[in-house]
Amino acid sequence: RMPASAPAADRRQRSSAAFSLSFLSLVFSVTAFSSSHWCEGTRKVAKPFCKGQSGGDHCIRFNSPDANSSNAVQYIWETGDDKFVERRFHAGMWYSCEEIVDDGDEKCRSFISLTPATDRGVLWLSIVAELLYIILLLTGAILMSVEMRCYSSVIDGLKINAFSAVVTVLAGLLGMVAHMMYTTVFQMTVNLGPEDWRPHTWDYGWSYGLAWTSFACCMAAAVTTINKYTKTILEFKHKRKMLERSLRIKYMFPDH
């Protein structure tokens, strides 16, 4: 037979695990949301013409009277010669930044302004869903921390446990929808965005992976919380059944 303190210790361990997962999910989601590395890649940009005697690998020596004409630049692109440079860029929900080859700095633009007008509403929905995701994660983590301090009252702990489980599941669903909406918006921006931004090659960055890691931690916290709630209910039912059985035996065989 298990000692009386064993179920309580098990509940505390499960509460601690759920809170840790929820807190990790919150930290990951805030970090990903505030960063601009959801997608990374390169852009092919025509090299500028060299000015004066200065030169190097990042400009074109084009000794011609019409060196500054747009036709010359078009000719450079069509010949396929080494007359362009690849610039790295990274984009998030708020900004898209592109490196400046000459001085190693970055030039950033609002990603919302780059998004096609038809998809701008979806991007705003994605941002709102991400904010709600973070708020619900914070609410769930607060509820779990309160429950850890109220484990002496099992009934109150169960009520808080049930509410935190619902909040965490809703947070996970919102996070999943937000990540998928941003992915769709970015792909549409790649195809229909401004000509001076469209990437040559791109892939998902560390922020995108961090966002989905946050979602995984959130769902793990929800499963742990629901599992703890279910196990506590089953323990109560078992204790009640044992108590009823003990009372029935006492009624059938009274102690004289």
Side-chain angles (χ1 to χ4, degrees):
R1 185 180 175 181
M2 292 178 66
S5 60
D10 183 59
R11 283 195 294 269
R12 283 196 295 271
Q13 287 177 358
R14 289 173 185 271
S15 296
S16 179
F19 173 76
S20 300
L21 287 167
S22 183
F23 183 75
L24 271 178
S25 178
L26 178 63
V27 172
F28 290 163
S29 63
V30 171
T31 305
F33 184 65
S34 58
S35 72
S36 59
H37 287 267
W38 285 64
C39 298
E40 300 173 344
T42 58
R43 285 189 61 237
K44 265 188 178 180
V45 181
K47 293 179 181 178
F49 294 110
C50 297
K51 296 179 181 178
Q53 298 299 320
S54 63
D57 295 333
H58 301 305
C59 65
I60 303 170
R61 292 188 177 277
F62 199 81
N63 299 321
S64 173
D66 61 344
N68 294 320
S69 70
S70 60
N71 293 331
V73 177
Q74 183 65 27
Y75 170 75
I76 289 165
W77 276 91
E78 288 176 353
T79 54
D81 295 332
D82 188 18
K83 303 299 182 183
F84 59 86
V85 62
E86 288 192 350
R87 292 181 181 174
R88 294 193 62 80
F89 83 96
H90 53 89
M93 288 195 168
W94 301 105
Y95 293 104
S96 175
C97 298
E98 181 180 316
E99 70 174 347
I100 301 173
V101 179
D102 297 334
D103 54 9
D105 202 1
E106 286 187 336
K107 176 183 72 175
C108 295
R109 289 183 282 179
S110 169
F111 184 72
I112 298 169
S113 65
L114 298 171
T115 309
T118 52
D119 298 307
R120 210 160 286 169
V122 181
L123 178 61
W124 277 112
L125 280 175
S126 175
I127 291 172
V128 170
E130 280 287 344
L131 286 170
L132 288 174
Y133 172 55
I134 292 171
I135 291 169
L136 287 175
L137 278 177
L138 179 61
T139 305
I142 291 171
L143 288 171
M144 289 174 190
S145 66
V146 170
E147 185 208 349
M148 288 170 65
R149 287 165 176 78
C150 298
Y151 59 82
S152 56
S153 175
V154 182
I155 300 298
D156 292 341
L158 269 177
K159 292 176 183 177
I160 298 173
N161 187 250
F163 192 52
S164 62
V166 172
V167 167
T168 310
V169 169
L170 285 176
L173 293 175
L174 270 173
M176 179 181 66
V177 171
H179 304 344
M180 292 175 69
M181 282 195 295
Y182 177 79
T183 305
T184 303
V185 169
F186 185 83
Q187 290 174 350
M188 293 301 294
T189 307
V190 168
N191 295 326
L192 304 174
E195 290 284 349
D196 64 340
W197 177 84
R198 293 183 192 178
H200 178 63
T201 60
W202 66 276
D203 204 349
Y204 297 110
W206 62 265
S207 297
Y208 188 79
L210 201 64
W212 282 108
T213 305
S214 169
F215 166 75
C217 289
C218 173
M219 297 312 295
V223 169
T224 305
T225 308
I226 293 170
N227 181 265
K228 176 181 174 293
Y229 178 83
T230 306
K231 189 170 182 180
T232 306
I233 291 293
L234 290 175
E235 285 174 2
F236 272 157
K237 287 184 177 180
H238 178 70
K239 287 180 180 178
R240 182 180 175 183
K241 189 180 293 183
M242 294 299 293
L243 182 61
E244 288 176 352
R245 185 179 176 185
S246 175
L247 290 174
R248 195 180 300 117
I249 292 171
K250 271 192 173 182
Y251 179 75
M252 292 175 64
F253 303 100
D255 189 9
H256 294 290

